[in-house]
Amino acid sequence: MLFDYSGTLFRLEEDETWFAGMELDTEDNREVDGHVQAELMRRLTAPTGRSVSMTPEALEAWLNRDLAPHLHREAYLHVLRESGLARHHAESLYGRVIDPACWTPYPDTATVLAGLHRRGIRTAVVSNIAFDVRPAFDAIGATGHVDEFVLSFEVGAVKPDPAIFQTALERVGVPAERALMVGDSDEADGGARALGCGFALVDPLPTRERKDGLIAALRANGIQL
């Protein structure tokens, strides 16, 4: 079993305190209200595409953001600044993005990982990301239930490049035809199909709205926990 991280096992969900005192850097100093917060979070978590105008340098950082922490920082600070946040507010919000403690697990994440571990089904987290997500799994007692973490900035490949999926398969010792990739992006996570893996798409809904999405995805592919 291969799992994406963001929007699949965990979700970055804002706390209103993150935006306390923030205003958009515009002529009218518009308040960062609920609508603005939602749009900022979308721009910070969308798995593909881009949402603001970019210089050639910013675009280069954006395209390679998941390969190196410094490019990730540069890319997302550009997005936040172009979205209207003052530099110090952008820095503050970006700090939440790269803090695993700020990520919320889906209700069935720990249950699914523990259930697969009990059944002897090897698992890997395969993520386009530029920071270490392992502490998020530590926090829910699930690190020991994940056999491998295959993170783009550590392996030098990003989804949908087959190389990152091949690395995961080799590490768990499973042939592609016996593996299922679960993720929230048909474009990125669905790249595993190029190697012959199965693919299950989940909806990156707020965690309170998706109680058993992982369990349902596995069940639909013949895996009962």
Side-chain angles (χ1 to χ4, degrees), residues 116-143:
L116 292 171
H117 181 72
R118 283 195 303 271
R119 289 193 55 184
I121 298 175
R122 292 181 61 78
T123 59
V125 173
V126 185
S127 178
N128 286 353
I129 208 153
F131 60 93
D132 188 4
V133 301
R134 293 173 182 85
F137 293 82
D138 289 340
I140 63 171
T143 303

PDB file of all heavy atoms in Angstrom, residues 116-143:
ATOM      1  N   LEU A 116      -3.432  -2.386   8.487  1.00  0.00           N
ATOM      2  CA  LEU A 116      -2.566  -2.941   7.443  1.00  0.00           C
ATOM      3  C   LEU A 116      -1.326  -3.581   8.061  1.00  0.00           C
ATOM      4  O   LEU A 116      -0.877  -4.646   7.623  1.00  0.00           O
ATOM      5  CB  LEU A 116      -2.161  -1.836   6.468  1.00  0.00           C
ATOM      6  CG  LEU A 116      -3.290  -1.273   5.593  1.00  0.00           C
ATOM      7  CD1 LEU A 116      -2.812  -0.038   4.842  1.00  0.00           C
ATOM      8  CD2 LEU A 116      -3.787  -2.337   4.599  1.00  0.00           C
ATOM      9  N   HIS A 117      -0.798  -2.933   9.087  1.00  0.00           N
ATOM     10  CA  HIS A 117       0.379  -3.475   9.772  1.00  0.00           C
ATOM     11  C   HIS A 117       0.059  -4.830  10.397  1.00  0.00           C
ATOM     12  O   HIS A 117       0.852  -5.777  10.278  1.00  0.00           O
ATOM     13  CB  HIS A 117       0.843  -2.489  10.836  1.00  0.00           C
ATOM     14  CG  HIS A 117       2.066  -2.923  11.582  1.00  0.00           C
ATOM     15  ND1 HIS A 117       3.322  -2.937  11.014  1.00  0.00           N
ATOM     16  CD2 HIS A 117       2.222  -3.367  12.865  1.00  0.00           C
ATOM     17  CE1 HIS A 117       4.204  -3.361  11.896  1.00  0.00           C
ATOM     18  NE2 HIS A 117       3.561  -3.641  13.030  1.00  0.00           N
ATOM     19  N   ARG A 118      -1.100  -4.939  11.037  1.00  0.00           N
ATOM     20  CA  ARG A 118      -1.497  -6.215  11.650  1.00  0.00           C
ATOM     21  C   ARG A 118      -1.634  -7.316  10.605  1.00  0.00           C
ATOM     22  O   ARG A 118      -1.326  -8.482  10.887  1.00  0.00           O
ATOM     23  CB  ARG A 118      -2.827  -6.048  12.395  1.00  0.00           C
ATOM     24  CG  ARG A 118      -2.733  -5.358  13.736  1.00  0.00           C
ATOM     25  CD  ARG A 118      -4.008  -5.552  14.550  1.00  0.00           C
ATOM     26  NE  ARG A 118      -5.184  -5.078  13.835  1.00  0.00           N
ATOM     27  CZ  ARG A 118      -5.643  -3.832  13.905  1.00  0.00           C
ATOM     28  NH1 ARG A 118      -5.014  -2.948  14.666  1.00  0.00           N
ATOM     29  NH2 ARG A 118      -6.729  -3.482  13.248  1.00  0.00           N
ATOM     30  N   ARG A 119      -2.081  -6.955   9.422  1.00  0.00           N
ATOM     31  CA  ARG A 119      -2.265  -7.942   8.362  1.00  0.00           C
ATOM     32  C   ARG A 119      -0.974  -8.265   7.619  1.00  0.00           C
ATOM     33  O   ARG A 119      -0.960  -9.104   6.722  1.00  0.00           O
ATOM     34  CB  ARG A 119      -3.308  -7.439   7.357  1.00  0.00           C
ATOM     35  CG  ARG A 119      -4.731  -7.432   7.895  1.00  0.00           C
ATOM     36  CD  ARG A 119      -5.734  -7.234   6.784  1.00  0.00           C
ATOM     37  NE  ARG A 119      -5.578  -8.220   5.714  1.00  0.00           N
ATOM     38  CZ  ARG A 119      -6.279  -8.225   4.587  1.00  0.00           C
ATOM     39  NH1 ARG A 119      -7.198  -7.295   4.381  1.00  0.00           N
ATOM     40  NH2 ARG A 119      -6.084  -9.155   3.669  1.00  0.00           N
ATOM     41  N   GLY A 120       0.099  -7.584   7.966  1.00  0.00           N
ATOM     42  CA  GLY A 120       1.377  -7.845   7.310  1.00  0.00           C
ATOM     43  C   GLY A 120       1.482  -7.219   5.933  1.00  0.00           C
ATOM     44  O   GLY A 120       2.323  -7.642   5.127  1.00  0.00           O
ATOM     45  N   ILE A 121       0.637  -6.226   5.661  1.00  0.00           N
ATOM     46  CA  ILE A 121       0.686  -5.531   4.369  1.00  0.00           C
ATOM     47  C   ILE A 121       1.634  -4.346   4.504  1.00  0.00           C
ATOM     48  O   ILE A 121       1.428  -3.454   5.326  1.00  0.00           O
ATOM     49  CB  ILE A 121      -0.716  -5.037   3.950  1.00  0.00           C
ATOM     50  CG1 ILE A 121      -1.646  -6.243   3.769  1.00  0.00           C
ATOM     51  CG2 ILE A 121      -0.643  -4.213   2.669  1.00  0.00           C
ATOM     52  CD1 ILE A 121      -3.089  -5.869   3.464  1.00  0.00           C
ATOM     53  N   ARG A 122       2.692  -4.349   3.715  1.00  0.00           N
ATOM     54  CA  ARG A 122       3.705  -3.307   3.814  1.00  0.00           C
ATOM     55  C   ARG A 122       3.181  -1.984   3.249  1.00  0.00           C
ATOM     56  O   ARG A 122       2.433  -1.973   2.277  1.00  0.00           O
ATOM     57  CB  ARG A 122       4.992  -3.730   3.112  1.00  0.00           C
ATOM     58  CG  ARG A 122       5.672  -4.888   3.852  1.00  0.00           C
ATOM     59  CD  ARG A 122       6.974  -5.316   3.207  1.00  0.00           C
ATOM     60  NE  ARG A 122       7.976  -4.273   3.173  1.00  0.00           N
ATOM     61  CZ  ARG A 122       8.734  -3.890   4.215  1.00  0.00           C
ATOM     62  NH1 ARG A 122       8.560  -4.478   5.403  1.00  0.00           N
ATOM     63  NH2 ARG A 122       9.647  -2.954   4.088  1.00  0.00           N
ATOM     64  N   THR A 123       3.588  -0.895   3.900  1.00  0.00           N
ATOM     65  CA  THR A 123       3.073   0.421   3.528  1.00  0.00           C
ATOM     66  C   THR A 123       4.205   1.420   3.338  1.00  0.00           C
ATOM     67  O   THR A 123       5.262   1.326   3.972  1.00  0.00           O
ATOM     68  CB  THR A 123       2.122   0.969   4.602  1.00  0.00           C
ATOM     69  OG1 THR A 123       2.828   1.059   5.851  1.00  0.00           O
ATOM     70  CG2 THR A 123       0.901   0.084   4.766  1.00  0.00           C
ATOM     71  N   ALA A 124       3.952   2.388   2.478  1.00  0.00           N
ATOM     72  CA  ALA A 124       4.890   3.495   2.282  1.00  0.00           C
ATOM     73  C   ALA A 124       4.096   4.783   2.111  1.00  0.00           C
ATOM     74  O   ALA A 124       3.037   4.789   1.483  1.00  0.00           O
ATOM     75  CB  ALA A 124       5.772   3.255   1.058  1.00  0.00           C
ATOM     76  N   VAL A 125       4.606   5.850   2.680  1.00  0.00           N
ATOM     77  CA  VAL A 125       4.060   7.182   2.443  1.00  0.00           C
ATOM     78  C   VAL A 125       4.893   7.800   1.325  1.00  0.00           C
ATOM     79  O   VAL A 125       6.114   7.917   1.448  1.00  0.00           O
ATOM     80  CB  VAL A 125       4.127   8.052   3.713  1.00  0.00           C
ATOM     81  CG1 VAL A 125       3.723   9.497   3.398  1.00  0.00           C
ATOM     82  CG2 VAL A 125       3.226   7.470   4.792  1.00  0.00           C
ATOM     83  N   VAL A 126       4.230   8.157   0.236  1.00  0.00           N
ATOM     84  CA  VAL A 126       4.911   8.696  -0.944  1.00  0.00           C
ATOM     85  C   VAL A 126       4.409  10.116  -1.147  1.00  0.00           C
ATOM     86  O   VAL A 126       3.263  10.332  -1.551  1.00  0.00           O
ATOM     87  CB  VAL A 126       4.615   7.837  -2.190  1.00  0.00           C
ATOM     88  CG1 VAL A 126       5.432   8.330  -3.376  1.00  0.00           C
ATOM     89  CG2 VAL A 126       4.912   6.365  -1.910  1.00  0.00           C
ATOM     90  N   SER A 127       5.251  11.086  -0.853  1.00  0.00           N
ATOM     91  CA  SER A 127       4.772  12.469  -0.816  1.00  0.00           C
ATOM     92  C   SER A 127       5.683  13.438  -1.547  1.00  0.00           C
ATOM     93  O   SER A 127       6.912  13.358  -1.432  1.00  0.00           O
ATOM     94  CB  SER A 127       4.636  12.916   0.646  1.00  0.00           C
ATOM     95  OG  SER A 127       4.213  14.257   0.730  1.00  0.00           O
ATOM     96  N   ASN A 128       5.058  14.351  -2.284  1.00  0.00           N
ATOM     97  CA  ASN A 128       5.762  15.514  -2.819  1.00  0.00           C
ATOM     98  C   ASN A 128       5.811  16.541  -1.700  1.00  0.00           C
ATOM     99  O   ASN A 128       4.814  17.210  -1.407  1.00  0.00           O
ATOM    100  CB  ASN A 128       5.011  16.101  -4.018  1.00  0.00           C
ATOM    101  CG  ASN A 128       5.148  15.252  -5.262  1.00  0.00           C
ATOM    102  OD1 ASN A 128       5.908  14.291  -5.295  1.00  0.00           O
ATOM    103  ND2 ASN A 128       4.402  15.609  -6.294  1.00  0.00           N
ATOM    104  N   ILE A 129       6.948  16.678  -1.077  1.00  0.00           N
ATOM    105  CA  ILE A 129       7.033  17.530   0.114  1.00  0.00           C
ATOM    106  C   ILE A 129       8.488  17.870   0.372  1.00  0.00           C
ATOM    107  O   ILE A 129       9.390  17.133  -0.056  1.00  0.00           O
ATOM    108  CB  ILE A 129       6.392  16.812   1.331  1.00  0.00           C
ATOM    109  CG1 ILE A 129       5.838  17.808   2.322  1.00  0.00           C
ATOM    110  CG2 ILE A 129       7.345  15.801   1.960  1.00  0.00           C
ATOM    111  CD1 ILE A 129       4.690  17.277   3.152  1.00  0.00           C
ATOM    112  N   ALA A 130       8.714  18.977   1.063  1.00  0.00           N
ATOM    113  CA  ALA A 130      10.094  19.414   1.305  1.00  0.00           C
ATOM    114  C   ALA A 130      10.411  19.550   2.782  1.00  0.00           C
ATOM    115  O   ALA A 130      11.320  20.276   3.163  1.00  0.00           O
ATOM    116  CB  ALA A 130      10.361  20.727   0.578  1.00  0.00           C
ATOM    117  N   PHE A 131       9.645  18.871   3.620  1.00  0.00           N
ATOM    118  CA  PHE A 131       9.962  18.827   5.044  1.00  0.00           C
ATOM    119  C   PHE A 131       9.598  17.443   5.578  1.00  0.00           C
ATOM    120  O   PHE A 131       8.836  16.702   4.956  1.00  0.00           O
ATOM    121  CB  PHE A 131       9.231  19.924   5.827  1.00  0.00           C
ATOM    122  CG  PHE A 131       7.727  19.862   5.756  1.00  0.00           C
ATOM    123  CD1 PHE A 131       6.997  19.185   6.711  1.00  0.00           C
ATOM    124  CD2 PHE A 131       7.046  20.497   4.727  1.00  0.00           C
ATOM    125  CE1 PHE A 131       5.614  19.118   6.652  1.00  0.00           C
ATOM    126  CE2 PHE A 131       5.657  20.458   4.665  1.00  0.00           C
ATOM    127  CZ  PHE A 131       4.939  19.766   5.620  1.00  0.00           C
ATOM    128  N   ASP A 132      10.177  17.099   6.715  1.00  0.00           N
ATOM    129  CA  ASP A 132      10.000  15.762   7.276  1.00  0.00           C
ATOM    130  C   ASP A 132       8.634  15.622   7.940  1.00  0.00           C
ATOM    131  O   ASP A 132       8.333  16.329   8.909  1.00  0.00           O
ATOM    132  CB  ASP A 132      11.107  15.491   8.294  1.00  0.00           C
ATOM    133  CG  ASP A 132      11.118  14.061   8.789  1.00  0.00           C
ATOM    134  OD1 ASP A 132      10.316  13.238   8.288  1.00  0.00           O
ATOM    135  OD2 ASP A 132      11.933  13.756   9.679  1.00  0.00           O
ATOM    136  N   VAL A 133       7.816  14.721   7.430  1.00  0.00           N
ATOM    137  CA  VAL A 133       6.462  14.532   7.969  1.00  0.00           C
ATOM    138  C   VAL A 133       6.412  13.462   9.056  1.00  0.00           C
ATOM    139  O   VAL A 133       5.355  13.256   9.670  1.00  0.00           O
ATOM    140  CB  VAL A 133       5.467  14.162   6.848  1.00  0.00           C
ATOM    141  CG1 VAL A 133       5.426  15.256   5.790  1.00  0.00           C
ATOM    142  CG2 VAL A 133       5.804  12.812   6.214  1.00  0.00           C
ATOM    143  N   ARG A 134       7.495  12.800   9.331  1.00  0.00           N
ATOM    144  CA  ARG A 134       7.471  11.698  10.294  1.00  0.00           C
ATOM    145  C   ARG A 134       6.930  12.105  11.663  1.00  0.00           C
ATOM    146  O   ARG A 134       6.203  11.329  12.297  1.00  0.00           O
ATOM    147  CB  ARG A 134       8.869  11.087  10.417  1.00  0.00           C
ATOM    148  CG  ARG A 134       9.344  10.372   9.140  1.00  0.00           C
ATOM    149  CD  ARG A 134      10.803   9.935   9.266  1.00  0.00           C
ATOM    150  NE  ARG A 134      11.327   9.290   8.064  1.00  0.00           N
ATOM    151  CZ  ARG A 134      11.835   9.959   7.016  1.00  0.00           C
ATOM    152  NH1 ARG A 134      11.880  11.294   7.050  1.00  0.00           N
ATOM    153  NH2 ARG A 134      12.283   9.309   5.954  1.00  0.00           N
ATOM    154  N   PRO A 135       7.248  13.325  12.148  1.00  0.00           N
ATOM    155  CA  PRO A 135       6.698  13.716  13.454  1.00  0.00           C
ATOM    156  C   PRO A 135       5.170  13.728  13.502  1.00  0.00           C
ATOM    157  O   PRO A 135       4.584  13.515  14.572  1.00  0.00           O
ATOM    158  CB  PRO A 135       7.271  15.128  13.665  1.00  0.00           C
ATOM    159  CG  PRO A 135       8.564  15.117  12.914  1.00  0.00           C
ATOM    160  CD  PRO A 135       8.259  14.306  11.680  1.00  0.00           C
ATOM    161  N   ALA A 136       4.505  13.965  12.379  1.00  0.00           N
ATOM    162  CA  ALA A 136       3.037  13.931  12.358  1.00  0.00           C
ATOM    163  C   ALA A 136       2.538  12.525  12.652  1.00  0.00           C
ATOM    164  O   ALA A 136       1.519  12.339  13.328  1.00  0.00           O
ATOM    165  CB  ALA A 136       2.514  14.403  11.006  1.00  0.00           C
ATOM    166  N   PHE A 137       3.256  11.525  12.171  1.00  0.00           N
ATOM    167  CA  PHE A 137       2.889  10.133  12.425  1.00  0.00           C
ATOM    168  C   PHE A 137       3.256   9.736  13.856  1.00  0.00           C
ATOM    169  O   PHE A 137       2.547   8.956  14.491  1.00  0.00           O
ATOM    170  CB  PHE A 137       3.562   9.221  11.404  1.00  0.00           C
ATOM    171  CG  PHE A 137       3.048   9.409  10.008  1.00  0.00           C
ATOM    172  CD1 PHE A 137       3.530  10.433   9.207  1.00  0.00           C
ATOM    173  CD2 PHE A 137       2.057   8.585   9.492  1.00  0.00           C
ATOM    174  CE1 PHE A 137       3.037  10.631   7.924  1.00  0.00           C
ATOM    175  CE2 PHE A 137       1.558   8.765   8.212  1.00  0.00           C
ATOM    176  CZ  PHE A 137       2.052   9.797   7.424  1.00  0.00           C
ATOM    177  N   ASP A 138       4.371  10.286  14.351  1.00  0.00           N
ATOM    178  CA  ASP A 138       4.738  10.049  15.755  1.00  0.00           C
ATOM    179  C   ASP A 138       3.606  10.498  16.676  1.00  0.00           C
ATOM    180  O   ASP A 138       3.273   9.822  17.653  1.00  0.00           O
ATOM    181  CB  ASP A 138       6.002  10.835  16.117  1.00  0.00           C
ATOM    182  CG  ASP A 138       7.257  10.285  15.457  1.00  0.00           C
ATOM    183  OD1 ASP A 138       7.247   9.111  15.037  1.00  0.00           O
ATOM    184  OD2 ASP A 138       8.246  11.045  15.365  1.00  0.00           O
ATOM    185  N   ALA A 139       3.011  11.634  16.353  1.00  0.00           N
ATOM    186  CA  ALA A 139       1.997  12.244  17.216  1.00  0.00           C
ATOM    187  C   ALA A 139       0.745  11.393  17.345  1.00  0.00           C
ATOM    188  O   ALA A 139       0.027  11.495  18.347  1.00  0.00           O
ATOM    189  CB  ALA A 139       1.633  13.633  16.692  1.00  0.00           C
ATOM    190  N   ILE A 140       0.470  10.550  16.342  1.00  0.00           N
ATOM    191  CA  ILE A 140      -0.725   9.687  16.425  1.00  0.00           C
ATOM    192  C   ILE A 140      -0.341   8.223  16.645  1.00  0.00           C
ATOM    193  O   ILE A 140      -1.167   7.323  16.490  1.00  0.00           O
ATOM    194  CB  ILE A 140      -1.610   9.831  15.167  1.00  0.00           C
ATOM    195  CG1 ILE A 140      -0.867   9.378  13.899  1.00  0.00           C
ATOM    196  CG2 ILE A 140      -2.109  11.253  15.015  1.00  0.00           C
ATOM    197  CD1 ILE A 140      -1.763   9.287  12.668  1.00  0.00           C
ATOM    198  N   GLY A 141       0.918   7.994  16.990  1.00  0.00           N
ATOM    199  CA  GLY A 141       1.378   6.640  17.292  1.00  0.00           C
ATOM    200  C   GLY A 141       1.415   5.727  16.088  1.00  0.00           C
ATOM    201  O   GLY A 141       1.269   4.507  16.227  1.00  0.00           O
ATOM    202  N   ALA A 142       1.627   6.288  14.893  1.00  0.00           N
ATOM    203  CA  ALA A 142       1.544   5.484  13.674  1.00  0.00           C
ATOM    204  C   ALA A 142       2.872   5.266  12.970  1.00  0.00           C
ATOM    205  O   ALA A 142       2.930   4.534  11.980  1.00  0.00           O
ATOM    206  CB  ALA A 142       0.567   6.142  12.697  1.00  0.00           C
ATOM    207  N   THR A 143       3.943   5.866  13.456  1.00  0.00           N
ATOM    208  CA  THR A 143       5.225   5.739  12.757  1.00  0.00           C
ATOM    209  C   THR A 143       5.639   4.282  12.596  1.00  0.00           C
ATOM    210  O   THR A 143       6.123   3.867  11.539  1.00  0.00           O
ATOM    211  CB  THR A 143       6.328   6.516  13.501  1.00  0.00           C
ATOM    212  OG1 THR A 143       5.931   7.884  13.627  1.00  0.00           O
ATOM    213  CG2 THR A 143       7.645   6.442  12.747  1.00  0.00           C
TER     214      THR A 143
END
